[in-house]
RNA sequence: GCCCCUGUGGCGGAAUUGGUAGACGCGCUCGACUCAAAAUCGAGUUCCGCAAGGAGUGCCCGUUCGAGUCGGGCCAGGGGCACCA
């Protein structure tokens, strides 16, 4: 056995052995229990760095561990390959988005392979393959036919120079990022998926996701945003603007007697009707639309209103008329687009009332005595008892809400209702590099979904990015087709699907990929749900919610018999690295920083930040693997930081990992060399070994890889200190199996070099012997008044009286007691004795 | 503004139901080996103190025989949502 482990040779060798042996191929049919381990598939942006690696290595440890435990493991990899960066590259570098994407995939695949991941590469696909997106189109058609897809007008950010729709992040200070032209809001007819049909289910389903981080469930809950309240009609008194009444929504029906105005959104149909006849109103509405929508602007934005002159009748008092305003803070797409204003108990209404001199009435107070105290300074949105509210007086807020709803329902002017913050999912993108929406627009038949035998609708290759606008729309022939229904002249939908659609079902396609349909139900159900899903917390809301919705939608149409796709979810931390900047604020590579320093120029060590190309602080895997080997890289990515927190990349860290890989090798070598006798028991080492087996298993299951690493270090320390024995030999062999999921190359190499048969990847995971988990001696803490004074050893399970006697005869205890009798003695068996003086 | 999370040595971080705070790693110090270095091995490493001892888990208060852990009130850092009625 060589004296040093040579990763350069070993990594490539074992990777080849695994690949050629199909070691990590997942068999659909096997008698073993299944385990589906998945990391969020990458977007092929160019090259991976070690930050991506951390994510995949974590999943890899789980996959290898499960495999050794006898599970049939599905651990696939693919590419989330549609998206804007490819189009940007096409425009900037004049390469086809597909070409750019496929080149990136090839690079990144090779980079990933350097890590020695236990992946089933036979299931690899990219979402830009027609053999993937064609099935997605079929699913879209199915959802369309089930009534879960519809079209409506929706506003987009429009760049008038580039003639293109911009995503929110492409709008910088109200201007298009590329053209610099002021962005306009334009209404386009777009496709939506009815995620709101599932709002209640998606919310309730969260409760069952007990293997998800609490934080993510909370974020989704807030995003879905369920509010209970009441909807009711305001009748318009006097001249009508074409309508007799309008509806408002409130979560505080209890404050109905505190109302002093009603307000409409600038987009409300009545507001628009008024604007037609009234230029002043029209000007006000235009003014509202001009304002920015950034957080900072909204925070400082003044509450503005326009008095329409209309009056509405208070539903509980026909003689009570309220003025109707158009107000800039009322949103059209939440509730009903109209509100009733209660200045005393809502901050926005309070500000509005102050500005327009409207009455501020108190209807909730801390107690009856405060009924006539004015509401001052700010609104009081909290709890209390109802005052100045006729039949509600004296009730608490909840009772009053119920009473008002009951009355409204009895009298027929309103009803209790629930509204959601969640909006339907707009999936139309006016872009080339995405899944074409499989719809044809026919003058006679309207929007017609394509029959499945006309799928896939394949993206044309001969496209032109020189002219502004959507290349699909401008393609000379692509969009012209015969209507599938009437055969007449028709045009294709030229919008493509949001890339979140692509990632909403890829995990199903990994599990089952027949050529003629999206997936086979039975095969997919054999693998699903994903047992452990790993990815960044930035996907906590959108991707995970959309995938949950998509799965439920497939269940709804009978294609899949399950509601939740991801049983366990883990959100891992990022890998961070120091940044450097020169005097001009330009980011420098670490080596550039060294050069600049040597040349006497100013270099500012910047913050430690997430690895990103623009900050020039990425660490690619190649040089690390070349210098230290895949296992050292894997080991470092797993040690030190808890996996959910950020990990700082340091040279010292990777070197430490490298040293440990070598140490493992030395331990295995020493064992093989047969230094001394391989005979005799070492009970202490046996116990340490079995405690480590138990702890490691629990820690890997809990994804506490940093603790599992610590377990291994402790065991290695114990083995090094132990004299040769049969126990020691077993401990070394077992340790190799325990590290195999984390450092598989050195484990295989040592396994083979010490004459063991087969692959360690196929070896069974060790089992802890319960009898060896128990110590026969324990250390008892001797405390006086809760303060540690001494420790003593005692046999495990020693009776309380013995421990008490031992403590009382302890020198330190006697010195402190100084002859006085203790007030009390508390004995915790096998742990401590606390003498209360 | 609302909701949530985190705070432990020089650093990353460990600590079952409240029960010996600082496991393990990094770094550092001293020593062995070496002509020397690297590698490796050994000892030490929360702070103050020669020691005995004392203090100590962001701060203050409380519950308890006993609090990093539980309760109340602050402070700091981070995250999510945000004119959502």
């Amino acid at each position: 056995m060589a004296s040093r482990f040579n990763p350069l040779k070993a990594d490539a060798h074992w990777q080849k052995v695994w690949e050629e042996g199909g070691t990590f191929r997942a068999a659909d049919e096997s008698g073993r229990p299944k385990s589906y381990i998945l990391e969020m598939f990458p977007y092929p942006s160019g090259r991976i760095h070690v930050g991506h690696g951390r994510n995949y290595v974590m999943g890899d440890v789980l996959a290898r561990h499960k495999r050794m435990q006898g599970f049939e493991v599905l651990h696939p990899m693919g590419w989330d390959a549609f998206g804007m960066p490819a189009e940007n590259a096409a425009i900037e570098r004049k390469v086809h988005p597909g070409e750019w994407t496929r080149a990136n995939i090839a690079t990144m695949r090779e980079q990933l392979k350097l890590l020695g991941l236990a992946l089933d590469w036979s299931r690899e696909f990219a979402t830009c393959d027609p053999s993937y997106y064609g099935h997605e189109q079929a699913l879209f058609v199915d959802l369309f036919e089930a009534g879960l897809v519809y079209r409506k007008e929706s506003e987009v950010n429009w760049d008038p120079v580039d003639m293109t729709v911009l995503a929110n992040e492409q709008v910088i200070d109200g201007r298009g990022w590329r053209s610099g032209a002021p962005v306009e809001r334009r209404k386009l007819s777009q496709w939506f998926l009815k995620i709101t049909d599932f709002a209640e289910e998606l919310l309730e389903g969260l409760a069952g996701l007990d293997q998800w981080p609490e934080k993510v469930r909370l974020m989704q809950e807030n995003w879905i945003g369920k509010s209970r309240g009441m909807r009711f009609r305001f009748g318009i008194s006097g001249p009508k603007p074409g309508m007799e009444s309008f509806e408002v929504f409130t979560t505080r029906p209890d404050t109905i007697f505190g109302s002093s105005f009603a307000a409409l959104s600038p987009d409300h149909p009545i507001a628009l009707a008024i604007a037609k006849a009234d230029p002043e109103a029209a000007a006000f509405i235009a003014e509202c639309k001009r304002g920015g929508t950034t957080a900072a602007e909204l925070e400082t934005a003044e509450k503005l209103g326009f008095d329409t002159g209309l009056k509405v009748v208070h539903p509980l008092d026909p003689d009570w008329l309220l003025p109707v305003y158009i107000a800039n803070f009322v949103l059209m797409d939440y509730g009903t687009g109209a509100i009733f204003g209660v200045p005393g108990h809502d901050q926005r209404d309070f500000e509005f009332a102050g500005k327009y001199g409207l009455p501020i009435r108190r209807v909730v107070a801390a107690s009856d005595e405060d009924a006539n105290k004015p509401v001052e300074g700010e609104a009081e949105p909290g709890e209390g008892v109802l005052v100045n509210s006729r039949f509600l007086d004296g009730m608490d807020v909840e009772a009053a809400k119920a009473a008002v709803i009951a009355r409204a329902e009895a009298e027929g002017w309103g009803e209790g209702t629930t509204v959601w913050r969640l909006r339907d999912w707009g999936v139309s993108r006016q872009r080339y590099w995405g899944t074409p929406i499989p719809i044809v627009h026919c003058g006679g038949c309207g929007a017609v979904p394509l029959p499945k035998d006309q799928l896939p609708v394949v993206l044309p290759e001969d496209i032109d990015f020189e002219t502004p606008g959507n290349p699909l729309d401008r393609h000379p022939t692509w969009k012209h087709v015969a209507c599938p229904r009437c055969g007449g002249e028709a045009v294709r939908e030229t919008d493509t699907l949001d890339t979140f659609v692509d990632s909403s079902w890829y995990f199903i396609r990994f599990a089952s990929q027949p050529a003629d349909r999206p997936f086979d139900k039975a095969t997919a159900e054999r693998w699903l749900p994903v047992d452990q899903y790993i990815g960044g917390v930035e996907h906590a809301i959108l991707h995970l919610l959309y995938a949950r919705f998509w799965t439920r939608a497939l269940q709804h149409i009978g294609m899949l018999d399950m509601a939740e796709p991801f049983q366990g979810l883990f959100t891992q931390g990022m890998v961070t690295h120091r940044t450097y900047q020169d005097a001009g604020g330009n980011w420098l590579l670490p080596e550039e920083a060294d050069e600049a320093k040597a040349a006497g120029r100013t270099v500012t060590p910047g913050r430690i930040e997430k690895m990103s190309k623009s900050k020039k602080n990425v660490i690619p895997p190649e040089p690390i693997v070349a210098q230290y080997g895949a296992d050292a890289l894997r080991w470092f990515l797993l040690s030190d930081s808890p996996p959910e927190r950020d990990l700082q990349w340091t040279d010292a860290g990777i070197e430490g990992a490298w040293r440990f890989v070598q140490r493992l090798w030395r331990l295995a070598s020493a064992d093989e060399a047969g230094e001394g006798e391989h005979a005799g028991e070492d009970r202490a080492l046996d116990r340490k070994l079995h405690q480590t087996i138990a702890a490691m298993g629990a820690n890997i299951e809990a994804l506490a890889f940093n603790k599992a690493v610590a377990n291994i270090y402790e065991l290695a320390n114990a083995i090094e200190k132990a004299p040769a024995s049969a126990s020691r030999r077993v401990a070394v062999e077992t340790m190799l199996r325990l590290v195999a999921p984390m450092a598989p190359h050195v484990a295989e190499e040592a396994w083979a070099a010490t004459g063991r048969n087969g692959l360690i990847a196929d070896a069974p995971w060790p089992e802890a012997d319960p009898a060896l988990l128990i110590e026969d001696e324990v250390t008892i803490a001797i405390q006086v008044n809760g303060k540690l004074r001494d420790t003593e050893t005692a046999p495990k399970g020693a009776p309380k009286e013995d421990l008490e006697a031992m403590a009382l005869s302890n020198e330190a205890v006697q010195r402190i007691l100084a002859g006085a009798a203790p007030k009390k003695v508390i004995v915790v068996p096998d742990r401590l004795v606390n003498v209360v003086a």
Side-chain angles (χ1 to χ4, degrees), chain A residues 113-131:
Chain A
K113 287 193 170 179
L114 290 175
L115 299 175
L117 301 172
L119 290 165
D120 181 353
W121 285 103
S122 73
R123 293 172 187 250
E124 177 194 5
F125 60 79
T127 56
C128 64
D129 300 338
S131 58

Side-chain angles (χ1 to χ4, degrees), chain A residues 137-340:
Chain A
Q137 292 167 337
L139 291 174
F140 183 88
V141 169
D142 287 333
L143 296 185
F144 181 95
E145 272 155 7
L148 291 172
V149 179
Y150 67 99
R151 210 158 122 90
K152 78 166 185 202
E153 292 258 303
S154 177
E155 278 192 349
V156 293
N157 302 307
W158 178 259
D159 185 320
V161 171
D162 281 352
M163 303 212 326
T164 186
V165 173
L166 299 177
N168 283 332
E169 56 271 24
Q170 294 175 318
V171 181
I172 296 153
D173 293 330
R175 289 169 182 275
W177 65 332
R178 215 189 293 280
S179 70
V183 168
E184 295 170 5
R185 315 205 68 174
R186 189 179 268 212
K187 282 207 163 177
L188 291 181
S189 196
Q190 309 203 59
W191 292 100
F192 285 82
L193 295 182
K194 279 194 185 169
I195 190 171
T196 53
D197 275 12
F198 295 81
E200 186 83 62
E201 280 189 50
L202 288 168
L203 182 66
E204 278 174 9
L206 290 172
L209 296 174
D210 56 351
Q211 292 174 53
W212 280 40
E214 187 61 41
K215 179 182 162 178
V216 174
R217 292 193 288 173
L218 234 141
M219 281 163 71
Q220 292 216 351
E221 189 181 320
N222 291 337
W223 186 263
I224 294 169
K226 181 178 188 173
S227 293
R228 278 175 224 285
M230 182 176 88
R231 195 157 40 185
F232 69 91
R233 292 208 148 260
F234 267 130
I236 298 171
S237 156
K240 311 285 191 293
M243 270 179 246
E244 295 289 322
S245 66
F246 59 87
E247 270 198 325
V248 296
F249 171 75
T250 178
T251 55
R252 292 294 301 273
D254 54 303
T255 62
I256 195 160
F257 290 107
S259 180
S260 48
F261 66 97
L264 303 167
S265 162
D267 295 311
H268 196 279
I270 293 180
L272 298 177
I274 291 168
K276 269 193 191 148
D278 181 349
E280 262 187 79
F284 176 78
I285 290 170
E287 171 75 21
C288 291
K289 296 220 164 187
R290 218 170 40 83
T293 51
T294 64
E297 279 174 292
L298 290 176
E299 207 154 318
T300 52
E302 219 180 335
K303 306 281 175 282
L304 294 174
F306 175 84
D307 190 346
T308 62
L310 293 180
K311 303 280 185 225
V312 286
V313 184
H314 194 284
L316 286 164
D317 185 344
D319 299 327
W320 187 350
L321 297 183
L322 299 166
V324 179
Y325 286 80
I326 300 169
N328 63 345
F329 64 93
V330 182
L331 304 174
M332 190 58 220
D333 53 3
Y334 183 79
T336 59
I339 60 158
F340 76 105

Side-chain angles (χ1 to χ4, degrees), chain A residues 508-525:
Chain A
I508 309 176
R509 183 73 184 168
F510 273 146
S512 166
Q513 33 193 281
D516 61 342
R517 56 200 195 283
F519 54 87
D520 175 71
K521 183 169 186 276
T523 312
E525 282 169 0

Side-chain angles (χ1 to χ4, degrees), chain A residues 20 107 135 155 198 255 286 291 414 467 623 665 671 690 721 734 808:
Chain A
E20 287 176 355
T107 305
H135 295 304
E155 278 192 349
F198 295 81
T255 62
T467 330
W665 180 254
D671 174 59
H690 284 264
K721 287 198 177 75
T734 310
L808 291 175

Side-chain angles (χ1 to χ4, degrees), chain A residues 299-421:
Chain A
E299 207 154 318
T300 52
E302 219 180 335
K303 306 281 175 282
L304 294 174
F306 175 84
D307 190 346
T308 62
L310 293 180
K311 303 280 185 225
V312 286
V313 184
H314 194 284
L316 286 164
D317 185 344
D319 299 327
W320 187 350
L321 297 183
L322 299 166
V324 179
Y325 286 80
I326 300 169
N328 63 345
F329 64 93
V330 182
L331 304 174
M332 190 58 220
D333 53 3
Y334 183 79
T336 59
I339 60 158
F340 76 105
V342 183
H345 305 284
D346 180 281
Q347 185 58 26
R348 291 157 306 181
D349 297 349
F350 183 87
E351 289 169 31
F352 190 81
K355 189 165 166 72
Y356 294 100
L358 297 160
I360 299 170
R361 273 185 265 272
R362 174 184 291 283
V363 287
V364 179
S367 67
D368 293 336
E369 291 87 74
D370 294 336
N372 295 317
K373 242 168 82 175
V375 178
E376 282 172 323
E378 56 181 21
E380 294 179 20
E383 294 292 305
V385 296
L386 273 287
V387 294
N388 305 320
S389 293
R390 306 185 192 183
F391 72 99
L392 302 174
D393 283 351
M395 291 184 189
D396 65 27
V397 167
E398 285 311 309
K401 282 180 183 175
V404 173
I405 292 170
R407 180 136 171 201
E409 287 177 351
E411 295 175 1
W413 49 268
E415 61 191 357
T417 185
T418 299
V419 303
W420 304 86
R421 189 189 167 284

Side-chain angles (χ1 to χ4, degrees), chain A residues 98 436 484 499 785:
Chain A
T499 57
N785 293 333

